[in-house]
Amino acid sequence: MPTIAPSLIFQLTLLTVVFFSLQISAAVLVYFERKISGWAQQRVGPNRVGPLGLLQPLADIVKLIFKEELRPKAADKWLFYLAPILSATTAFAAFAVIPFGPPTTFFGLLEKPVPLQVADLNVAVLVVFAITSMGIYGIVLAGWASNSKYALLGGLRSSAQMISYELAYAMALASVLVIANSLSLREIVDAQQGWRWLFGVVPVPAWYVFLTPIGFFIFFIAGIAETNRAPFDFPEAEQELVAGYHTEYSSMSFALFFLAEYVNMVVVCGVTVSLFLGGFYMPGLPVWLGPLWFIGKVAALLFFYIWMRWTLPRYRYDQLMDFGWKRLLPLSIVNLLVTAAGVLYWS
Amino acid sequence: MAPWLFYLFATISVVSSIGVIGQRNPMYSVLLLIGSFISLAGLYVGLDSPFVAVTQIVVYAGAIMVLFLFVVMLLNAPREDVAPGAQLPIPGVVKAYGGVLSVAMAAMLLWALSRLGVVPFVEDPQAAERVASVRDIGLMLFRDHAFSFEVTSILILVAMVGAVVLAKKTV
């Protein structure tokens, strides 16, 4: 009988756990989105299915599975079905390089400690960037293949928006890379443990958000634009485009887009936490509970996403372009220069 | 890199490249080109250059091809179908000339490839390390080749200004 390396079994287990956790996180997120929107609008929110409405996502999934799959007659058959698959795949794949816990032996179960991360690459930051840029194709193709004017406009808008905000996104990211002097997410996270004296007097966690707050601000805003969330949800602006790029989709292919949107939010928040908020480190608290701190920070950011959606109205399209190109991009370039100068001065 | 991986990515890349020029639908051409770029990135990963692979995806498959796709969608480029009757008759001389040229080309390629012979794949971990490190690439770009790098950036800037001037003329 051929023996299988324990590391391989561990990798497969980790992969499965991460994959299903992401799916469950999307379901939980949908529930909280509806609950928080209920609170924001002084409603009750879902409360019929199960205790506190907790089984609502499950009911939604069952409903989506049993709905009829419709495809417009004039749609491009292959691309129409490829688009949602592409969206969902890229959303999941991007999480692979995010570290969510310290190396662990699982209380002596394994011989040597293994890092809690699906793939530790030395160019992890760029991999996230590359996979995210592939995710655009899912939306653009959905818009084109549907052969519907609303969907096409949604797809065009989303590609223009993502190209515009990717620049500021990358520039903000570069400021962290300059400070950390590394492209590996694990190394970046490891550099953020413990405390740091801000201006020599104020003790703060050694997170990069305190070193480049403007970078964090730009990255967070561009991240919202990248995930097509309100107030930047132009690809699916209801009042103008019905539902944007997924107007013509129904049943599970619609569900895949829905899933991709929420998983993308989790991934972007995970990257933000790893780059700026110390990843799985919490100063003064035990490191072996790392995954808990990671999930807590991601949840806090996700709450902020949902909060913003129900607080801020959508921009006008020209305001979006104006904000992206004329404000965010120059600000991010100045921030990068200042950060680089600071690194040169203090190191 | 495992040979079967090389053959897998090489086949995908060649087949999709042929597909790019064989397609009537410009949308499919763009997508096949993206497929070709991604399989090239796979080859780079196999050659121990993850940085080059990721850059290939970010720059070519990500940024540039999104612009291509954008233009194809915006112009709504039609399928390049030619009605059977509307096709112009091609003179025999032109056909013969083209035939001779393509045979000559094929012969030249075959000759060049046969002179090359089969080069065995050499595993050289140090060579991979030299290329793979982002730090080394950065140092090479900004220290050894700083002048040509800056000149290239000015060239791109000039091209960009030119495009803006040309596009703005009508206003």
Side-chain angles (χ1 to χ4, degrees):
Chain A
M1 190 181 140
T3 50
I4 303 169
S7 65
L8 183 70
I9 297 176
F10 173 75
Q11 279 292 324
L12 288 177
T13 318
L14 192 65
L15 200 70
T16 319
V17 168
V18 168
F19 181 68
F20 284 103
S21 307
L22 276 177
Q23 280 187 332
I24 292 167
S25 76
V28 173
L29 206 51
V30 171
Y31 171 76
F32 274 104
E33 169 119 49
R34 297 183 59 179
K35 257 316 195 206
I36 293 170
S37 72
W39 296 332
Q41 298 167 351
Q42 303 201 332
R43 294 187 282 113
V44 180
N47 68 343
R48 296 285 138 164
V49 193
L52 298 170
L54 272 170
L55 296 180
Q56 184 67 44
L58 214 61
D60 284 343
I61 293 167
V62 172
K63 180 195 77 173
L64 281 166
I65 289 175
F66 284 106
K67 274 195 167 184
E68 189 185 354
E69 184 84 54
L70 291 171
R71 176 168 58 86
K73 218 173 182 176
D76 189 305
K77 192 174 158 193
W78 294 103
L79 297 186
F80 189 77
Y81 287 123
L82 178 70
I85 297 173
L86 209 59
S87 269
T89 321
T90 50
F92 279 104
F95 196 85
V97 293
I98 300 177
F100 54 89
T104 173
T105 56
F106 286 100
F107 312 108
L109 196 69
L110 295 170
E111 279 173 11
K112 52 182 180 191
V114 279
L116 284 179
Q117 183 180 20
V118 178
D120 187 10
L121 298 171
N122 56 3
V123 288
V125 176
L126 289 176
V127 169
V128 173
F129 204 54
I131 296 177
T132 324
S133 68
M134 287 294 100
I136 301 178
Y137 288 120
I139 292 176
V140 175
L141 285 183
W144 184 82
S146 301
N147 212 342
S148 141
K149 53 179 168 256
Y150 295 123
L152 182 68
L153 282 172
L156 279 175
R157 274 187 178 189
S158 92
S159 52
Q161 173 180 336
M162 284 175 156
I163 292 170
S164 309
Y165 278 77
E166 222 165 52
L167 293 169
Y169 195 68
M171 283 290 181
L173 196 114
S175 67
V176 171
L177 300 185
V178 166
I179 300 175
N181 206 358
S182 168
L183 279 170
S184 152
L185 272 176
R186 180 159 288 276
E187 279 175 25
I188 291 175
V189 169
D190 281 341
Q192 296 180 68
Q193 47 183 321
W195 298 86
R196 186 192 305 280
W197 292 92
L198 202 62
F199 307 117
V201 276
V202 195
V204 290
W207 300 347
Y208 286 149
V209 62
F210 296 108
L211 291 183
T212 165
I214 299 173
F216 174 72
F217 170 76
I218 295 167
F219 193 80
F220 192 69
I221 291 181
I224 296 173
E226 288 279 310
T227 47
N228 295 321
R229 290 284 299 184
F232 303 114
D233 55 342
F234 289 91
E236 41 190 311
E238 295 93 349
Q239 293 87 342
E240 304 154 27
L241 294 177
V242 190
Y245 62 92
H246 56 57
T247 304
E248 306 291 344
Y249 283 87
S250 55
S251 186
M252 277 320 276
S253 40
F254 166 74
L256 279 181
F257 278 124
F258 206 61
L259 184 70
E261 184 185 331
Y262 283 94
V263 173
N264 265 328
M265 277 165 66
V266 176
V267 169
V268 169
C269 287
V271 174
T272 316
V273 164
S274 302
L275 286 178
F276 292 98
L277 298 175
F280 49 82
Y281 288 112
M282 205 68 163
L285 292 170
V287 176
W288 61 274
L289 281 172
L292 272 187
W293 314 138
F294 181 80
I295 293 171
K297 287 177 195 174
V298 169
L301 281 185
L302 286 171
F303 175 76
F304 206 80
Y305 266 55
I306 298 172
W307 185 14
M308 277 185 89
R309 170 166 177 190
W310 298 103
T311 310
L312 299 174
R314 189 181 301 126
Y315 276 85
R316 226 170 47 217
Y317 197 69
D318 60 314
Q319 289 172 334
L320 170 90
M321 285 298 158
D322 191 81
F323 185 64
W325 286 100
K326 294 185 189 163
R327 281 145 226 242
L328 225 46
L329 183 60
L331 186 66
S332 63
I333 293 174
V334 170
N335 177 55
L336 180 61
L337 287 177
V338 170
T339 313
V343 168
L344 275 182
Y345 182 75
W346 274 294
S347 66
Chain B
M1 146 161 88
W4 68 271
L5 271 177
F6 169 78
Y7 285 115
L8 175 74
F9 285 123
T11 316
I12 297 175
S13 136
V14 169
V15 168
S16 49
S17 303
I18 293 172
V20 173
I21 47 174
Q23 270 296 325
R24 292 276 181 205
N25 190 335
M27 199 71 179
Y28 278 89
S29 294
V30 172
L31 291 176
L32 284 167
L33 196 53
I34 296 170
S36 166
F37 283 150
I38 291 176
S39 51
L40 280 184
L43 285 180
Y44 294 145
V45 171
L47 292 171
D48 282 331
S49 319
F51 178 70
V52 181
V54 174
T55 318
Q56 161 92 1
I57 292 184
V58 170
V59 175
Y60 283 100
I64 293 179
M65 292 321 285
V66 165
L67 277 183
F68 269 54
L69 208 64
F70 198 77
V71 170
V72 169
M73 276 169 70
L74 209 60
L75 300 179
N76 212 359
R79 285 174 58 87
E80 291 176 342
D81 280 332
V82 183
Q87 205 162 11
L88 287 174
I90 301 171
V93 186
V94 176
K95 274 186 188 168
Y97 186 56
V100 168
L101 272 189
S102 44
V103 167
M105 182 91 177
M108 220 156 71
L109 264 178
L110 277 179
W111 178 72
L113 285 177
S114 66
R115 268 178 63 97
L116 201 64
V118 180
V119 183
F121 185 73
V122 189
E123 292 270 0
D124 185 1
Q126 283 174 345
E129 240 164 56
R130 277 199 299 276
V131 185
S133 154
V134 181
R135 188 185 307 271
D136 291 347
I137 293 176
L139 283 178
M140 240 194 281
L141 264 186
F142 292 102
R143 186 177 288 163
D144 305 347
H145 302 283
F147 180 72
S148 35
F149 182 81
E150 294 300 332
V151 168
T152 315
S153 67
I154 289 175
L155 187 72
I156 293 173
L157 183 68
V158 168
M160 208 159 72
V161 171
V164 171
V165 168
L166 285 177
K168 268 281 181 188
K169 208 169 58 179
T170 48
V171 179

